[in-house]
Amino acid sequence: MHATDSSSESRVLTPGDPEYAPEVAGFQTGFALRPARVWAARSAREVAEAVGYAAGEGLPLGVQATGHGLPDAAEGGVLVSTRRMDAVRIDPGARTAVIGAGARWGQVVEAAAPYGLAPLNGSSPGVGAVSYTLSGGLGILAREFGYAADRVRRLEVVTADGRLREVAAGSEPELFWGLRGGGHGLGVVTELEIGLVPVARLYGGALTFDASAVDPARILAEYEAWTRTVPENLTSSLAAVPYPDLPALPPHLRGAYLISLRVAFTGGAEEGERLVAPLRRIGPAVTDTLREMPYAQSPSIHNDPASPHAYYGDSAVLSELDVKAAAELLAATGPAAPMMCVVQLNHLGGALSREPEPPNAVPHREGRFLVRVLAVLDGTDRAAARAHFAGALAPLAPATTGRFLGFAFGGGDRGEGLYPAATRERLAALKRTYDPGNLFGGPHGGQD
């Protein structure tokens, strides 16, 4: 059974409805979400109805497309489910895409590929394109083309007054600044127009080493030195994954501790081979998937897990990478850690360090690396994971300049370090203007 508002055909679910549980379920399974009502929205008008209802009842409101994050603002309030609003329209002449609130990056990549174009998507095709972009968006082509938020042309957003606004550089420029990188607390974005880049193919993949055969400290040192030599059109990361010794895993992964170096290079394969040659000399690779590929195959570079699971995580933007401190981090999060942890180091710089025109709210452009730490959870030990991360990240504190909103995994339950003071104050002024009653919560509270 579902409730229907007499003035519309919006589908509104409550906890007693059989469709309620699957509607609130998302990729993040670690934390239960129990909104009082769920709006299964199909249009901007229905989103506006949900906002009006929540404001009128004094209830908080959150938004969920894929549920990779956790819209805490919806707890006990209203959740707008945008998964049905997943239209993608490509204009190959203008090199733009118009993306609905529920569209996933895989859909956008697939739609743009026939025209030799690509969005600034992330590594996982299942992540919601709009929520990713609002948080900044650090993708696989980032060093060459910048953050996903840097390519936003226009947004449609429902603000707390229930009004659907079209926001661009020439209309409401301050809100345009804040929505691009400022997170999810200023309204519900129902549609996004982004610029695409002319990338049809790339050279990329991963080199994976067994950390029992190749010293992790050596891998870190060689990788850090190598990043100082590469051009801007090469974006890379390092991932360290200790696999549990479980029968359900393939034999080659059971109990293994693997460190992967992932590469995406928009130049030719011959030049790509020359650039990665120093990485191959680090030691024997367990797997080597580096090759030329159509851009549509780029998710294979990272091979992010596709199945929903429970996790919690944090991040730190680094002005420099102290290899000794990073080795201490790997030791604290490796096989001996009290919980399974995954560490990723993203090489920053290049276009990421430059402000777009017009500027946006994406912070920490001075960073040279981003470290991300994620723990696999059973849903009960968020506090234990946070405490463990605090100790594991401590050696990197002297070079830490802040945290990154897009990788405040598992609900993003604290706001310190996300923005420098001037950006934080400017976003707070926007909040007072467009959401004075705090309908959408803080920077983590809204659109996931």
Side-chain angles (χ1 to χ4, degrees), residues 344-355:
Q344 179 165 310
L345 280 168
N346 288 80
H347 181 211
L348 306 178
L352 296 167
S353 65
R354 298 188 286 271
E355 284 276 6

Side-chain angles (χ1 to χ4, degrees), residues 62-148:
V63 187
Q64 178 169 288
T66 67
H68 277 72
L70 186 70
D72 287 338
E75 186 65 26
V78 173
L79 178 70
V80 177
S81 174
T82 62
R83 65 182 64 175
R84 294 162 187 81
M85 299 170 62
D86 63 350
V88 177
R89 304 192 304 275
I90 305 296
D91 184 335
R95 291 183 177 175
T96 60
V98 176
I99 305 168
R104 303 177 184 227
W105 273 131
Q107 296 169 259
V108 187
V109 171
E110 182 180 358
Y115 306 103
L117 300 172
L120 297 189
N121 56 289
S123 58
S124 172
V127 167
V130 169
S131 58
Y132 168 98
T133 302
L134 296 179
S135 297
L138 177 63
I140 61 175
L141 303 177
R143 280 176 38 81
E144 182 174 3
F145 297 109
Y147 290 100

Side-chain angles (χ1 to χ4, degrees), residues 241-258 305 307 340 342 376:
V241 185
Y243 289 91
D245 188 2
L246 295 175
L249 290 174
H252 70 285
L253 294 181
R254 289 183 56 179
Y257 183 32
L258 302 180
S307 300
M340 181 182 173
V342 176
V376 178

Side-chain angles (χ1 to χ4, degrees), residues 12 55 109 152 306:
V12 183
V109 171
V152 172

Side-chain angles (χ1 to χ4, degrees), residues 43-306:
S43 67
R45 178 183 61 80
E46 293 182 0
V47 170
E49 288 175 357
V51 169
Y53 173 82
E57 297 294 320
L59 296 172
L61 182 143
V63 187
Q64 178 169 288
T66 67
H68 277 72
L70 186 70
D72 287 338
E75 186 65 26
V78 173
L79 178 70
V80 177
S81 174
T82 62
R83 65 182 64 175
R84 294 162 187 81
M85 299 170 62
D86 63 350
V88 177
R89 304 192 304 275
I90 305 296
D91 184 335
R95 291 183 177 175
T96 60
V98 176
I99 305 168
R104 303 177 184 227
W105 273 131
Q107 296 169 259
V108 187
V109 171
E110 182 180 358
Y115 306 103
L117 300 172
L120 297 189
N121 56 289
S123 58
S124 172
V127 167
V130 169
S131 58
Y132 168 98
T133 302
L134 296 179
S135 297
L138 177 63
I140 61 175
L141 303 177
R143 280 176 38 81
E144 182 174 3
F145 297 109
Y147 290 100
D150 298 346
R151 296 279 167 157
V152 172
R153 305 282 187 87
R154 176 184 60 82
L155 310 96
E156 286 187 357
V157 56
V158 177
T159 45
D161 56 5
R163 177 181 165 190
L164 178 65
R165 303 169 186 262
E166 183 165 304
V167 180
S171 62
E172 304 194 69
E174 187 68 4
L175 185 57
F176 186 60
W177 170 84
L179 287 169
R180 296 175 300 134
H184 319 111
L186 299 172
V188 182
V189 172
T190 58
E191 185 176 275
L192 197 63
E193 182 180 340
I194 61 169
L196 302 172
V197 297
V199 176
R201 302 182 67 81
L202 53 74
Y203 173 88
L207 284 172
T208 301
F209 302 96
D210 184 342
S212 66
V214 185
D215 183 6
R218 182 187 171 197
I219 299 173
L220 281 166
E222 296 279 359
Y223 175 65
E224 191 280 336
W226 176 78
T227 61
R228 295 179 180 273
T229 70
V230 298
E232 287 190 5
N233 62 338
L234 191 153
T235 302
S236 68
S237 63
L238 177 152
V241 185
Y243 289 91
D245 188 2
L246 295 175
L249 290 174
H252 70 285
L253 294 181
R254 289 183 56 179
Y257 183 32
L258 302 180
I259 297 179
S260 298
L261 304 179
R262 290 89 65 91
V263 171
F265 173 60
T266 58
E270 184 177 350
E271 178 65 4
E273 285 288 316
R274 186 190 69 79
L275 287 169
V276 302
L279 300 181
R280 288 204 171 102
R281 291 196 289 268
I282 291 174
V286 176
T287 59
D288 179 346
T289 63
L290 290 162
R291 68 198 189 280
E292 188 175 20
M293 67 181 78
Y295 190 77
Q297 293 180 13
S298 60
S300 68
I301 296 173
H302 289 243
N303 273 324
D304 289 337

Side-chain angles (χ1 to χ4, degrees), residues 303-337:
N303 273 324
D304 289 337
S307 300
H309 57 281
Y311 52 94
Y312 181 78
D314 208 345
S315 65
V317 182
L318 307 176
S319 59
E320 287 293 340
L321 181 64
D322 182 322
V323 171
K324 182 180 178 182
E328 292 180 45
L329 168 66
L330 292 191
T333 55

